[in-house]
Amino acid sequence: MEQVVPQQQKILTKENERERLQSTWRNEDTRAAAELEKFRSGLRRIESLTRTIVEYTRKGNRAKMNALEADLAANENDVARTEADAAAMEPRLDALKQKLGQRTAHKKNLEDNRVYRRSLRHVEALEKDLRELDGRVEELGDLDSLKEVYEEISKKRQKYSDEMVRSEGRISGLKEQKRDLKRRLNTEEYHDIDERHRVKMIECETTLICISDLDKFYKSVDESLLQYHGMKIEDINKIIKELWTLTYRGEDINCIELVSGQETGGRATRSYNYRVVMTKGNTKIDMRGRCSAGQRVLASIVIRLALAETFCINCGVMALDEPTTNLDHENKVGLAQSLSQIIANRSVQRNFQLVVITHDEDFVLMMKEELQALAGVSMPEQYFQLFREQADDGNFYSKIRPVAWEDL
């Protein structure tokens, strides 16, 4: 290595000198070529004039011939000068040719030096690789382990080779499938398929947009229905509270109300779990299983009246069948007061009609007393009584007859 460094410096110096000499030679060669071209141009001009002179002499144009001879003499002088210049250039050309030969030899030496340097670098790289291989051999250990590693690598290589063969087979199949698909695309079935696909995509996107809009509309309507449902439940509970307070005479239940709980489920399976709760003090508990039969009947009537008041404002007919079943005397009085109040409130409605079906004559009497106690309410002229009567044929038939309130 110590001998290589000076040699490399010499090579770099020689290469720089070679470049400088090549540049000088190219300049000299260009200048000599220009002089030679100038000489050739003068020679062509002399030949042209000579031909002109011969032509003029042949035609007998002496005066022109003299002029041409003068031009010829001037040209000969030019030619003499040019030849002298060319003769003077010959030594320079010989010197340049000699330098060119020297440069060729110098160039060969430089090329040999470059090959030598490349060889040295290659030898150094090989020595480095050899040292690395020696180190790897020492790390690998004994020959048996290397054989095992070699066998494992061979198995992997065989496995990868088999996978490559299978992959090539699949690729071949896919290529054939691709060619078949291209042939099918050229058939009438797939004619103008891009335009049809574009139309279908537009239809699909439009449908998706419509679905999205419908979903938004459904959510909006659903929220509105939920809000409407909550408002109606509040109205119903308000009427229930008023009717219960007016009707119920006991002290164990302050009021009742209708509670709805939305059960979880999809849009199509959504349902509401309605239940009746009663308030005792500050506690609300379910009414099912914790109240008497009379309380259940009264609660049922009150809830139905509240539903009718809420949802049947334009409906003039309200029917109650045996409303006093299981009710004690105090609650019957309260129910009579509630019904009388409803009649008074609905008296301004032209198509209002209350139908009460009962076997309890005491309740009818209570209704009469309550209606008479209300100011501004006109009493019904009569009520209707249903009874059974035996006919001439010995059978009993049901009959209905009007009864004046004064006869009650």
Side-chain angles (χ1 to χ4, degrees):
M1 292 300 294
E2 294 178 355
Q3 295 178 357
V4 172
V5 174
Q7 191 69 25
Q8 291 177 351
Q9 293 178 353
K10 290 180 181 180
I11 290 172
L12 292 175
T13 303
K14 294 297 185 179
E15 287 180 351
N16 293 333
E17 184 178 358
R18 184 193 66 177
E19 293 294 334
R20 182 178 59 79
L21 292 175
Q22 285 180 351
S23 177
T24 304
W25 177 78
R26 283 193 294 270
N27 294 334
E28 292 294 337
D29 190 26
T30 302
R31 189 162 47 252
E35 292 292 337
L36 181 60
E37 182 62 28
K38 183 178 179 181
F39 173 76
R40 289 175 179 174
S41 176
L43 183 61
R44 286 194 296 270
R45 183 180 177 188
I46 291 171
E47 290 175 353
S48 176
L49 290 174
T50 302
R51 287 194 298 270
T52 304
I53 290 170
V54 171
E55 182 68 22
Y56 279 2
T57 302
R58 186 175 61 83
K59 291 181 179 181
N61 297 326
R62 189 62 184 172
K64 292 181 179 180
M65 183 66 180
N66 293 331
L68 291 173
E69 287 178 353
D71 292 337
L72 181 61
N75 289 329
E76 287 177 352
N77 293 331
D78 294 337
V79 169
R81 287 195 299 272
T82 303
E83 290 177 350
D85 293 338
M89 293 282 295
E90 288 295 333
R92 294 180 62 187
L93 289 174
D94 294 337
L96 290 174
K97 290 178 180 179
Q98 185 178 1
K99 288 182 180 180
L100 180 60
Q102 293 175 355
R103 289 171 185 166
T104 303
H106 185 63
K107 179 179 180 182
K108 187 176 183 306
N109 291 332
L110 292 176
E111 290 293 337
D112 294 338
N113 287 330
R114 291 177 63 185
V115 172
Y116 174 71
R117 290 177 62 191
R118 284 196 298 269
S119 299
L120 287 177
R121 288 194 296 271
H122 184 63
V123 169
E124 291 176 358
L126 291 176
E127 291 177 350
K128 181 179 179 182
D129 294 339
L130 182 60
R131 288 193 297 271
E132 291 179 356
L133 291 174
D134 291 336
R136 292 179 61 185
V137 170
E138 292 177 358
E139 293 175 357
L140 291 175
D142 57 354
L143 185 60
D144 294 335
S145 62
L146 291 177
K147 287 182 179 179
E148 293 178 357
V149 173
Y150 174 75
E151 291 176 357
E152 183 179 358
I153 293 174
S154 298
K155 291 179 181 178
K156 289 183 178 179
R157 179 177 177 276
Q158 184 63 33
K159 178 181 177 182
Y160 294 149
S161 178
D162 295 340
E163 289 181 357
M164 184 178 69
V165 172
R166 288 193 295 269
S167 300
E168 289 177 351
R170 287 195 296 270
I171 291 172
S172 178
L174 291 174
K175 287 182 179 179
E176 181 63 28
Q177 185 179 1
K178 179 181 178 181
R179 287 192 293 269
D180 182 63
L181 291 174
K182 285 184 176 180
R183 288 193 296 269
R184 291 179 62 187
L185 286 174
N186 293 326
T187 60
E188 185 65 25
E189 181 182 0
Y190 295 95
H191 178 67
D192 200 16
I193 190 64
D194 292 333
E195 179 63 22
R196 286 187 285 164
H197 177 265
R198 186 183 70 83
V199 173
K200 291 298 180 183
M201 285 299 297
I202 293 174
E203 293 178 358
C204 179
E205 293 295 329
T206 306
T207 304
L208 292 176
I209 294 172
C210 292
I211 292 172
S212 177
D213 292 341
L214 289 175
D215 188 62
K216 293 177 181 178
F217 176 74
Y218 173 83
K219 290 179 180 179
S220 177
V221 172
D222 188 55
E223 291 175 358
S224 300
L225 289 176
L226 288 175
Q227 185 178 1
Y228 176 78
H229 179 267
M231 293 171 59
K232 287 302 178 182
I233 289 294
E234 291 179 0
D235 295 341
I236 292 170
N237 286 329
K238 182 178 179 181
I239 298 174
I240 289 174
K241 185 176 181 181
E242 293 176 356
L243 293 176
W244 183 265
T245 303
L246 181 63
T247 305
Y248 188 63
R249 299 304 176 180
E251 297 181 356
D252 55 340
I253 302 176
N254 297 335
C255 65
I256 65 172
E257 64 180 359
L258 193 64
V259 178
S260 67
Q262 180 179 345
E263 296 182 352
T264 58
R267 295 178 178 178
T269 61
R270 178 176 297 166
S271 61
Y272 296 91
N273 182 21
Y274 294 98
R275 55 195 176 91
V276 181
V277 298
M278 57 184 178
T279 303
K280 291 185 177 181
N282 295 326
T283 304
K284 293 182 178 181
I285 57 176
D286 286 342
M287 201 170 184
R288 181 188 295 270
R290 295 183 177 88
C291 61
S292 64
Q295 290 173 338
R296 285 200 303 271
V297 172
L298 184 60
S300 175
I301 295 173
V302 168
I303 291 173
R304 292 177 183 178
L305 290 175
L307 291 173
E309 285 290 314
T310 303
F311 295 106
C312 301
I313 298 298
N314 296 323
C315 179
V317 179
M318 184 181 300
L320 297 177
D321 187 10
E322 299 294 346
T324 60
T325 303
N326 296 324
L327 294 183
D328 55 14
H329 180 74
E330 289 78 5
N331 289 324
K332 287 181 181 179
V333 173
L335 179 59
Q337 292 177 354
S338 299
L339 293 177
S340 299
Q341 189 65 44
I342 292 175
I343 293 172
N345 294 335
R346 289 290 193 95
S347 61
V348 296
Q349 184 175 342
R350 297 182 59 185
N351 63 342
F352 175 71
Q353 185 174 9
L354 175 63
V355 179
V356 179
I357 304 171
T358 182
H359 289 84
D360 192 348
E361 294 185 358
D362 293 337
F363 179 69
V364 177
L365 183 59
M366 292 176 189
M367 288 289 298
K368 175 184 176 182
E369 293 174 353
E370 292 296 331
L371 288 172
Q372 288 176 348
L374 293 175
V377 178
S378 60
M379 282 290 295
E381 296 178 358
Q382 56 194 4
Y383 69 95
F384 292 90
Q385 186 179 35
L386 183 67
F387 63 97
R388 297 183 67 188
E389 186 178 47
Q390 188 176 10
D392 295 336
D393 58 1
N395 295 323
F396 287 89
Y397 297 94
S398 296
K399 290 188 176 182
I400 186 169
R401 63 183 176 185
V403 179
W405 282 102
E406 289 79 7
D407 296 339
L408 182 62

